[in-house]
Amino acid sequence: MDMRNIKNGYIIRHDGYSDQPYVVKTDDNHWLMCLTVGGLEEGSKGQHVVSLRSDDKGKTWKDTADVESSEAPESSYSVLYKTKYGRIYCFYNFNADNLRGVIGSHPDYPDGICTRVDTQGHFVFKYSDDNGLSWSEKWYDIPQRDFEVDRLNPYGGKIKYFWNVGKPFEIQDRVLVPLYKIREFGLTFMEHSEGVLLECDNINTERDPEKLNWKTLPDGKIGIRAPKEVSIISEEHSFVRLSDGTVFCVFRTVSGHPYCAYSYDDCHTFTEPVPMTYANGRVFKHPRAANFIWKCENGKYLYWFHNHGGKSYDGRNPVFLCGAHEVEKNGRRALEFGNPKIVLYDDDPKIRMSYPDLIEDDGEYYLTETQKEIARVHHVDKALIESLWQEKEFDGWQDSPCFDVNAESFSIRFETGEKIGKIFGDGDFAASRLENGNIVIKAGENEFINDDILLEDLKNHTVTAVFDRGTKVVCFTTDGIFCDGGEKRQFGFTRFNDDFKVTFGNMSDEKMKFAKGIHLYS
């Protein structure tokens, strides 16, 4: 059984819309989750925040008291934070004024009114002092400082457009909660977006919720955003704090690439955002989907993304992870990222899994995710996670298979300067190199191509093709570097059908010598 297939995960909830299955571990040894749910599609009336607990590491879940009722105005997009003394705060969007529509800029909105009202209003919190079994009756409003994006919205900032999917993080005793401000609701719903942080400096000491101190970062009137000529969308920022106090931030755009920035002054200012790159300088590819980074207990990092250059909300299957670690750059700590591997997938390419969380418990790794209707927990193979950090110093770019090796997967590796041709004995499986350097592998009626830019110099390169029947994906590495299609193609990987078969045939000693360097797993 391939545990990367999301259908093999533990179901959290599957009775309608379910979003953001984020977890904290409670002081009574449970997992606590707050979830945004609804009976219809995302953004519908009745959408509200609920909480659940698990005492068996996500295998089963029990409902506790709802954070907000389904009869109340829409509550949405909750994130949790546990204080050092055990109180748990739940932060969420709340349509507290019960608006049934706000001004939209797209001509298809009837009478110019957008009737989806779950991404505006008030950003609030409730709290629990009994490990999530119950929540405070009262909700508390968090003040937001006006930014330029607020003043340019149809209400001049008197009504604010915003939401959040990012988990809070700490700087010493302070907590910082991400928020994404929106200027308008347009063709793609949320447009002209940017990231900010809500910081509370006394949340771990002050127990009177009315006396919590809040301020909005970064300083100034502009949030964390990509250059407007690149993308008017900069949203769903994810943050981690490095060992020297540097804060790293990555967020989605509609440029086909994730953008990132650093702060060296506790988030008062950030560097100019730039496209995120691998250790060798190649730019990551990612669509308009959540891309999150986590710091693990071992001090290393994991990055969740979808590894293609789409610009829409689609293409969230499969999910890739990258490992990262800290390095010294210009006297400061920074992150370097290694090769990606597929961690989760669904048989249906149209399924869109997203909004994950990472939980470490007793040395094991767990991921949550949702496809907006079914939320699940996945116990991830520890060997798979640790393999992401095995590329020593991240400068060797070792040529290892990019997927789990299992009974239905294999990889072939060869030098392009050698004779290549029919490589599997009597089997119908051949590779050839074109005049432009591209490598083409033919298997029956199937054809797979490696058109990596590194091959264009026509020199000798080490090429690996990895075939994974679980994900139904074939990918290539050139000289150990994952081939992502570059500027030529949206995807670096290629899907194949269920009826794809490879006949290996019988390999004589002579043919085995010819196949030297080819690695088979079957």
Side-chain angles (χ1 to χ4, degrees), residues 107-121:
D108 285 349
Y109 289 137
D111 301 319
I113 298 299
C114 174
T115 57
R116 181 172 170 179
V117 290
D118 59 330
T119 49
Q120 59 79 41

Side-chain angles (χ1 to χ4, degrees), residues 256-258 276 278 282-291 303-310 314-322 338-343 402-403 473-477 481-486 489-495:
H257 305 288
M276 197 165 90
Y278 293 94
R282 279 195 170 188
V283 178
F284 276 86
K285 298 170 76 172
H286 182 71
R288 191 175 182 178
N291 62 137
Y303 172 59
W304 164 295
F305 73 122
H306 296 291
N307 203 18
H308 69 86
D314 297 324
R316 302 181 179 187
N317 177 21
V319 174
F320 288 76
L321 284 183
C322 266
N339 267 332
K341 296 185 181 182
I342 288 180
V343 64
C402 292
F403 301 82
V473 159
V474 59
C475 75
F476 288 88
T477 65
I481 300 173
F482 187 95
C483 304
D484 65 3
R489 291 184 292 138
Q490 178 178 335
F491 294 88
F493 54 90
T494 304
R495 298 182 186 273

Side-chain angles (χ1 to χ4, degrees), residues 6-7 17-19 41-42 116 236 252 287-290 304 306 308 311-319 344-356 369-376 495:
I6 62 171
K7 291 183 173 61
Y17 170 64
S18 299
D19 212 349
E41 68 271 10
E42 179 179 354
R116 181 172 170 179
E236 302 197 337
R252 75 185 190 183
R288 191 175 182 178
W304 164 295
H306 296 291
H308 69 86
K311 299 180 180 181
S312 73
Y313 295 109
D314 297 324
R316 302 181 179 187
N317 177 21
V319 174
L344 293 173
Y345 71 93
D346 190 278
D347 294 323
D348 181 356
K350 295 181 180 180
I351 291 295
R352 303 189 311 150
M353 64 204 79
S354 196
Y355 300 104
E369 52 78 26
T370 179
Q371 308 87 52
K372 302 289 189 178
E373 294 180 356
I374 304 176
R376 291 185 174 96
R495 298 182 186 273

